[in-house]
Amino acid sequence: MANREKLINTALALLLPALALAAYGMGEPFYVTLATRIAILALAAAGLNLALGLGGLVSFGHAAFFGIGGYMAGIFATHAFNQTPLFTWPIEIAATDQMPVIWLVSAGVAALVALPIGLISLRTSGVYFIMITLAFAQMIYYFAISWPAYGGEDGLSITMRNGFPGVNTLDPLNYFLIAYGLLLLVLFIFTRIRDSRFGAALQAARQNEVRVASIGIRPLRIRLAAFVISAMITAVAGALFADLNRFVGPSMLSWNMSGELIVLIILGGTGRLFGPVAGAILFVLFEFALGGLTEHWQLFLGLILLGVVLFVRGGLIGLLAGKVHHG
Amino acid sequence: MAEPVLNICNLCKSFGALKATDDVSLDLYPGEIHALIGPNGAGKSTLIHQIAGTLKHNTGSIHFMGRDVSALGVSHRAQLGLGRTFQISSLTPEFSALRNVMLAVQANQGSSFRFWQPVMADASLKDRAMHMLERVGLVDRAPVPSAELSHGERRQLEIAIALALEPKAFLLDEPMAGMGPEGSKRLTGFLDTLRHEAPILLIEHDMDAVFALADRISVLVYGRIIATGTVDDIRRNPQVREAYLGESV
Ligand SMILES: Nc1ncnc2c1ncn2[C@@H]1O[C@H](COP(=O)(O)OP(=O)(O)OP(=O)(O)O)[C@@H](O)[C@H]1O
Ligand SMILES: [Mg+2]
């Protein structure tokens, strides 16, 4: 079964660049963008999968981190374009339009925000945890709406997509490759964390918190670290997403977005390495196929999700590859 | 006599109107097995929970290694050296027997914030965990998810996990339960040697095992300790015979 999962993962990993290359070759940039969108959503969900899949932490507030990344990309792009400094006080800091810097800042800011949110919300569990993470995300959502400097309700357009050293990011295939490369990197990091000592403690805490405490490991610390790392990854995805759409608005911070990320993971397979990828493919396909037919495509998505939760517990990966094997 | 490793003083715990622990005082000395016996619902497990910290006592004190641990959480007390097993096995069900013990070895090494090296390639964890499984006779079952182990095997795994912690005191809640006569006998022999590694507070219904092992016995009835003494003291105590041992002696 473990081998079968590897095969499926490889197929999924190849599917995205195949789609992007084929579309590019046929001069269909729209489909390249679609593949990029899948890669970025998968990246965001891979971040959440660390907390939700491995740690059992159902964060209903990850849009906050996704949006933080998005706003970082938007804010940097705006300042860089207008050639105005980010800050003038206490020292003047100039903006850059280089993506690697923006990603690092996004991850850093997300970590700073996730730390207090995690410290407070991880003292609860179950439904309370879901509601508290949602509440924090909503606070940030309303903050963004009421902050006119960066667009308020209208959001922020990115006139010039941010750059990457040595690469023309305006070319859709190049941009796909950046997003896809980052996705593969994060999936690799995910496997290392999952199989590490930390990952063992995190997964054990999901299965039996009292057991973990009884051998002398504090579940709260482990979960907090997972929550923060998870937020950092999702924030980087948010920065990519804003650059893809050349727009960031409060909708990136909304609870729908948090819900979508959870839906992605459940569709694909909770806690599975390629669950977020499978989920993102399914989600974007549904959005694309059903969205063309009816405005109420999310209703159908809801029904499909219900079916997955009731009948195929492990999502698509679980359906194809069977149960997780822990060794 | 040496200082007690564990010292419990005037401990009280109520669940609503029910006094589950009623003014209990009890010591555990180095090298000894102190058995705690009593009828079902007497409050034995509740006492273990309070020592381990999974339940908070209402009044009284718990000193471990000369230190008041009353305010400390479960994981902190475990780090200080309290190794306990649960009456109802409490394991990480998806993990194999081996990984359950490896996690305990890892906890004992105090190093769970390592994010990069795969545990399954870590010989220092694996060898040590295998050794613990060997000691409880569970090596053959190392790769089996703990959810798929038999009841008795899970009890053995609980002990292997406690061993891996190299604790300063063992709190064992009915380790023989569900082991069968053969397993009980083997475990009795094992615990007899284990007391030299660390003293054991042993809750057990198997009277043969208790009488064979215990240096001292405390009898708990309705949350109160009605007698503490050597095996002979307890066998002869009329109150104990009446309240608990009945005609079974
Ligand atoms: N969390 C709880 N809330 C309320 N009552 C409880 C709780 N835990 C235990 N009790 C009650 O406290 C009493 C002591 O229970 P405990 O499990 O400690 O008994 P025990 O001596 O371990 O019994 P056994 O030999 O059956 O394991 C029982 O009457 C039980 O119903
Ligand atoms: Mg009990």
Side-chain angles (χ1 to χ4, degrees), chain B residues 7-84:
Chain B
N7 168 255
I8 295 163
C9 227
N10 306 112
L11 206 69
C12 291
K13 171 80 185 173
S14 301
F15 296 116
L18 176 77
K19 282 194 158 179
T21 305
D22 189 359
D23 200 27
V24 167
S25 297
L26 176 149
D27 291 315
L28 184 65
Y29 286 97
E32 81 165 338
I33 293 182
H34 190 150
L36 186 64
I37 63 172
N40 290 114
K44 304 179 296 293
S45 296
T46 303
L47 186 61
I48 295 271
H49 278 299
Q50 291 167 83
I51 300 170
T54 31
L55 282 175
K56 291 267 181 270
H57 55 272
N58 299 135
T59 58
S61 71
I62 303 171
H63 283 80
F64 180 58
M65 313 273 296
R67 174 170 180 185
D68 186 355
V69 295
S70 303
L72 305 182
V74 177
S75 49
H76 202 154
R77 294 188 202 188
Q79 282 165 11
L80 289 178
L82 276 170
R84 59 94 66 106

Side-chain angles (χ1 to χ4, degrees), chain B residues 8 36 55-56 60 79 85 109 120 130 132 139 155-156 163 176 183 194-195 215 235-236:
Chain B
I8 295 163
L36 186 64
L55 282 175
K56 291 267 181 270
Q79 282 165 11
T85 66
Q109 293 179 352
M120 292 316 278
M130 271 313 225
M132 298 306 159
V139 172
R155 315 289 310 146
Q156 287 165 274
L163 287 175
M176 314 274 176
L194 188 62
R195 78 176 91 199
D215 298 293
R235 277 189 207 258
R236 279 197 297 265

Side-chain angles (χ1 to χ4, degrees), chain A residues 64-257:
Chain A
F65 310 121
F66 195 61
I68 282 173
Y71 271 95
M72 287 306 131
I75 290 170
F76 272 80
T78 306
H79 282 285
F81 187 74
N82 298 333
Q83 299 192 329
T84 49
L86 279 176
F87 293 105
T88 50
W89 192 91
I91 48 163
E92 190 169 302
I93 294 181
T96 168
D97 65 351
Q98 289 304 299
M99 287 183 186
V101 179
I102 294 169
W103 297 339
L104 284 178
V105 173
S106 298
V109 173
L112 287 179
V113 175
L115 200 64
I117 293 181
L119 259 177
I120 295 167
S121 51
L122 285 168
R123 287 176 196 282
T124 67
S125 61
V127 176
Y128 298 101
F129 180 77
I130 296 177
M131 296 321 274
I132 292 182
T133 48
L134 171 64
F136 275 115
Q138 288 301 95
M139 277 167 55
I140 294 172
Y141 172 78
Y142 285 112
F143 175 74
I145 281 191
S146 61
W147 197 23
Y150 292 115
E153 234 171 311
D154 300 328
L156 204 56
S157 284
I158 298 176
T159 323
M160 271 285 281
R161 183 178 284 167
N162 290 302
F164 191 92
V167 179
N168 173 13
T169 54
L170 293 177
D171 178 77
L173 188 63
N174 284 348
Y175 195 58
F176 167 79
L177 289 173
I178 290 174
Y180 180 69
L182 217 48
L183 172 64
L184 291 187
L185 176 69
V186 161
L187 290 179
F188 175 65
I189 293 173
F190 182 92
T191 63
R192 296 304 295 226
I193 292 181
R194 180 193 62 193
D195 298 339
S196 70
R197 290 186 180 216
F198 173 79
L202 179 62
Q203 292 169 80
R206 164 172 54 77
Q207 296 169 54
N208 188 344
E209 176 170 3
V210 176
R211 164 48 75 196
V212 169
S214 297
I215 57 176
I217 298 174
R218 280 182 66 182
L220 178 68
R221 286 192 194 177
I222 299 287
R223 288 175 175 156
L224 184 61
F227 188 74
V228 170
I229 298 170
S230 155
M232 291 165 77
I233 294 172
T234 301
V236 172
L240 281 165
F241 197 68
D243 262 328
L244 175 71
N245 302 326
R246 302 214 202 147
F247 173 77
V248 51
S251 66
M252 268 183 82
L253 293 159
S254 74
W255 65 269
N256 303 52
M257 192 66 231

Side-chain angles (χ1 to χ4, degrees), chain B residues 68 83 126 142 150 202 224 226:
Chain B
D68 186 355
K126 221 169 173 174
S150 75
L202 175 69
R224 268 187 168 277
I226 60 166

